[in-house]
Amino acid sequence: MRTTRTLTDAVGAWRALARRAGADTVVGVAIAAGTMAALSLFLVTAYFVILFVIGIGAAALPIVTKGVRRLCDLNRRAAGRCGIPVDSPYRPGPQEFEKDIVGWMRRCKWILTDPATWRDLLWLLLNTAVGMIGFVPAAVLYYALEGLAVAAGLWRPVLDVNGSGRWYCFITVDSWGSALLAVLPATGLLLAWPWASRAALVAHAHFTRFLLGPTRSAELASRVRHLAETRTTALDTQAAELRRIERDLHDGAQARLVGLGFTLGAVERNLDRKPEEARRLLAEARESSVLALRELRDLVRGIHPPVLAERGLADAVHALGIASPLRVAVETDLPGGLPAPVESAVYFSVAELLANALKHAGADHVAISLRYSGGVLSARVTDDGHGGADPVRGTGLHGIRRRLAAFDGTLDISSPVGGPTVTKMEIPCALSSPKTSSS
């Protein structure tokens, strides 16, 4: 039984490896085929750059460079598929260009003064040679299958036609003995195909990152822009939160307390003349005080839940799961305490995702996982709803992304139509204290 299970696992692993190698082969062929497009784009772009320098060619330059950047972005995505992420290095353009010749010239100036444009052109030129490495996976697969076909009997018609055997990998296959010998290198190539495919794509990905990735100065400039944007977002969010608290206090607890003051004044006036009316007003005042206290507690929970302050993030998320009408499974692995602002951001993000699963996704079950590893807090929320969540259109998801961005956090959503929806949040942070949660 154990041998059968081991064999089944090995077959499953080989199938997964073969599927990945097949995908790598397709991507490699696409990269290699794109070398002709790269060469064409290089020649056309260089032509219009020269025309622009001598005073003409401005009309087509932005259009051509858009094609260049699109091809470069496709190769960046291919590199990211191999586990080598390549960020976009382009400088952000102005908010808008004038719709006249002046605006068009400003667009051309913005393109030509961006160093990434010239690195793109250098990549296009060099990729006409380096990109041919993409044919390596297909070549290895073809040669391995050719060897197996020759060994299976293809050598016989070749021998009948030419009078000599089929040459394969330093072996002249002209008999069943030599055919059996040719099986060995063919099988070896077939077994090496998955690793050769990945190695070829990784090599091209490193080449792509070297030329198409952002330089150190570009990374620093991007970092400064990101910090400025997140600072602005954090200030706007804080101002909006203060306005919300002020509005809730004004419309809720403050109004009730003002009404309570009027009621107590009426009680004072009727205490001697109309004791029954005074008792009724006292009952109303007690009711108003209870409601005002409840509204103040709800307001405080909206600012910072007491369970989060007292028990930590793990227990606070467990409390969210218990309070939700959905079936919620919570799994946590937090070896220590986290900074309070990070805990608050993750808590309210999880609460928002739970609300979305209930109101919009039609989910019945939600799984929440919290992990801390390698200096990164990861939170994964999975629901079995109908999917189709769009972070662009959803204001709640956009708010979560802005909240996490203040801590350099990221939000990734996978929500195909039909579900499930998997939301992963990551925030780099350091542990602030040893574990105190009971979970």
Side-chain angles (χ1 to χ4, degrees):
M1 184 69 178
R2 183 176 299 173
T3 304
T4 304
R5 183 179 302 171
T6 303
L7 183 60
T8 303
D9 293 342
V11 171
W14 172 252
R15 284 179 179 173
L17 197 62
R19 281 196 298 268
R20 192 197 72 179
D24 287 347
T25 301
V26 172
V27 173
V29 170
I31 289 173
T35 57
M36 295 308 298
L39 179 59
S40 301
L41 279 172
F42 171 78
L43 294 175
V44 172
T45 306
Y47 174 73
F48 282 109
V49 167
I50 294 171
L51 290 181
F52 178 79
V53 171
I54 64 176
I56 56 177
L61 184 60
I63 299 173
V64 173
T65 51
K66 184 180 291 186
V68 171
R69 292 187 174 187
R70 186 165 297 177
L71 178 62
C72 292
D73 284 337
L74 288 174
N75 282 270
R76 290 187 186 97
R77 289 172 57 185
R81 182 182 172 277
C82 298
I84 302 174
V86 183
D87 295 328
S88 178
Y90 305 116
R91 291 176 180 174
Q95 294 296 327
E96 60 179 287
F97 294 98
E98 296 86 349
K99 296 180 180 179
D100 54 16
I101 186 62
V102 175
W104 200 258
M105 295 301 291
R106 286 182 61 217
R107 187 188 299 269
C108 293
K109 181 181 177 182
W110 164 64
I111 293 171
L112 294 177
T113 55
D114 189 347
T117 299
W118 303 101
R119 291 165 64 86
D120 285 353
L121 291 177
L122 179 60
W123 179 88
L124 290 176
L125 179 61
L126 297 180
N127 191 59
T128 57
V130 179
M132 291 299 177
I133 198 175
F135 279 134
V136 169
V140 172
L141 177 62
Y142 171 80
Y143 200 55
L145 295 178
E146 180 189 357
L148 294 176
V150 169
L154 186 63
W155 62 272
R156 297 187 65 182
V158 174
L159 181 64
D160 293 339
V161 173
N162 298 333
S164 60
R166 180 74 162 84
W167 185 86
Y168 179 78
C169 198
F170 306 107
I171 301 171
T172 301
V173 184
D174 53 7
S175 65
W176 285 113
S178 57
L180 186 61
L181 189 61
V183 169
L184 298 178
T187 304
L189 285 173
L190 187 61
L191 293 176
W193 167 57
W195 288 273
S197 303
R198 181 47 57 111
L201 292 190
V202 167
H204 186 267
H206 281 294
F207 163 71
T208 298
R209 184 171 66 175
F210 179 72
L211 283 180
L212 298 186
T215 60
R216 180 63 177 167
S217 59
E219 287 180 345
L220 291 175
S222 176
R223 177 66 176 162
V224 169
R225 287 195 302 270
H226 175 72
L227 290 175
E229 290 172 0
T230 54
R231 182 187 62 183
T232 302
T233 300
L235 292 175
D236 291 343
T237 303
Q238 183 183 24
E241 186 69 11
L242 289 174
R243 288 194 298 269
R244 182 189 68 81
I245 294 171
E246 181 182 8
R247 184 178 63 252
D248 290 347
L249 284 173
H250 182 272
D251 298 340
Q254 179 180 332
R256 291 194 180 279
L257 291 174
V258 170
L260 179 62
F262 284 121
T263 302
L264 290 176
V267 169
E268 187 178 5
R269 289 191 299 270
N270 291 298
L271 190 60
D272 294 328
R273 294 178 300 154
K274 300 178 181 178
E276 292 298 326
E277 180 68 12
R279 288 194 190 93
R280 185 184 67 79
L281 292 173
L282 281 173
E284 288 183 5
R286 185 171 59 249
E287 248 180 72
S288 294
S289 67
V290 170
L291 290 174
L293 181 60
R294 184 180 303 164
E295 288 177 353
L296 286 172
R297 284 175 176 169
D298 291 341
L299 185 62
V300 169
R301 288 193 189 97
I303 299 171
H304 194 75
V307 66
L308 186 61
E310 296 167 4
R311 305 295 299 276
L313 179 62
D315 285 343
V317 172
H318 276 287
L320 278 178
I322 294 171
S324 174
L326 301 172
R327 290 180 297 153
V328 181
V330 181
E331 184 180 355
T332 62
D333 182 14
L334 303 178
L338 297 163
V342 172
E343 287 189 331
S344 180
V346 174
Y347 174 85
F348 285 110
S349 298
V350 171
E352 179 73 25
L353 293 172
L354 275 176
N356 288 348
L358 178 63
K359 293 189 294 184
H360 305 301
D364 296 318
H365 182 268
V366 178
I368 302 174
S369 173
L370 298 175
R371 293 280 184 275
Y372 182 86
S373 177
V376 177
L377 172 64
S378 301
R380 183 187 294 268
V381 179
T382 306
D383 69 67
D384 60 354
H386 52 66
D390 187 353
V392 176
R393 293 182 300 173
T395 56
L397 296 175
H398 182 61
I400 293 175
R401 179 162 286 161
R402 289 194 307 170
R403 181 183 287 119
L404 299 180
F407 303 93
D408 281 345
T410 59
L411 174 70
D412 293 321
I413 300 174
S414 173
S415 184
V417 176
T421 297
V422 180
T423 305
K424 184 177 181 181
M425 298 172 285
E426 289 188 346
I427 296 180
C429 60
L431 296 178
S432 60
S433 63
K435 183 175 181 178
T436 57
S437 170
S438 60
S439 59

